[in-house]
Amino acid sequence: KAYIDRINVFGFKSYGERYLSIPLGEGFTAIVGPNGSGKSNLGDAIVFCLGIASAKAMRAIKLTDLIFSSKGKTAPYAEVEIIFKNNGAFPLNTEEVSISRKVDLSGKSTYKINSRPAKQQEVEELLTLAGIPTQGYNIVTQGDIYKFVKMTPSERRDLISDIAGITQYEERKQKAIQD
Ligand code: ATP
Ligand code: MG
């Protein structure tokens, strides 16, 4: 099974205008720290890099809001690189798989796969082949549990169907009934 080994960031949200490498490794990782110290920003970094694209999902109005800014000083760009241990999950013959995304001050965003420029669609396809579909429910964000508790039983069932991968068959079934 593939897993995220480390995340390299530059100029992303509160991480500052410097290169940082955040080790995750296999299994369970807990990130602790005081309020506002950047715990959720790490989740946002993952969402940004893996192309689950809307700015709202990262608690930003536009992509350029993701670029580090403090006391009138703004980084020239924000970049997040996620390094997976491949373990045969990705159809690439490298031990590690690197996916990175960068956004500059003009709002232009670019991706790389193993250091080569790539289209967003290629990143999505690669992740889907590795069993990490970008439209899937991979990240539980702050407030999601509250929403889950507040849902109607049928909304909750729909969400569970999505996670379990049943929705796609349900959609096909509905289409077949219609035709
Ligand atoms: P909590 O425990 O309250 O959930 P947290 O550790 O999850 O806190 P985050 O939401 O990750 O905190 O970080 C919030 C901090 O990130 C805020 O202080 C905010 O000012 C800072 N921040 C967000 N965007 C930027 C940016 N573009 N430049 C600099 N700092 C930013
Ligand atoms: Mg938080």
Side-chain angles (χ1 to χ4, degrees):
K1 275 236 157 168
Y3 61 87
I4 296 176
D5 186 63
R6 57 197 186 279
I7 300 174
N8 298 331
V9 292
F10 176 89
F12 188 85
K13 283 200 154 187
S14 58
Y15 289 103
E17 200 175 336
R18 58 191 165 153
Y19 291 94
L20 273 179
S21 189
I22 300 148
L24 294 190
E26 201 169 7
F28 190 85
T29 303
I31 293 158
V32 294
N35 293 133
S37 62
K39 302 182 295 294
S40 296
N41 288 347
L42 186 63
D44 294 340
I46 297 174
V47 170
F48 169 70
C49 180
L50 301 186
I52 313 157
S54 94
K56 188 170 155 273
M58 295 168 280
R59 304 173 300 157
I61 292 161
K62 44 192 183 342
L63 281 182
T64 48
D65 294 339
L66 300 170
I67 300 171
F68 171 74
S69 180
S70 171
K71 295 176 192 139
K73 202 177 176 308
T74 302
Y77 60 88
E79 185 163 27
V80 177
E81 177 184 27
I82 298 187
I83 295 148
F84 292 91
K85 283 279 182 246
N86 187 347
N87 285 337
F90 291 89
L92 295 170
N93 56 7
T94 51
E95 192 192 316
E96 295 189 330
V97 174
S98 150
I99 294 175
S100 71
R101 185 180 184 190
K102 182 175 175 173
V103 62
D104 67 18
L105 288 168
S106 74
K108 186 170 150 280
S109 135
T110 49
Y111 288 90
K112 282 180 184 170
I113 297 172
N114 283 345
S115 306
R116 288 207 188 92
K119 296 195 189 83
Q120 176 168 340
Q121 198 188 334
E122 292 174 89
V123 172
E124 278 189 36
E125 280 167 11
L126 182 65
L127 288 166
T128 302
L129 288 169
I132 316 162
T134 51
Q135 74 282 14
Y137 204 87
N138 301 309
I139 293 184
V140 179
T141 56
Q142 219 157 327
D144 279 1
I145 300 299
Y146 179 75
K147 271 190 249 157
F148 188 77
V149 171
K150 285 285 197 180
M151 275 175 188
T152 65
S154 88
E155 284 172 333
R156 203 174 297 138
R157 188 186 178 282
D158 288 347
L159 180 59
I160 293 168
S161 299
D162 257 359
I163 296 165
I166 296 166
T167 307
Q168 48 177 320
Y169 298 108
E170 199 55 45
E171 281 166 4
R172 270 192 237 166
K173 190 178 106 191
Q174 289 306 332
K175 203 170 173 293
I177 292 168
Q178 263 176 34
D179 291 348

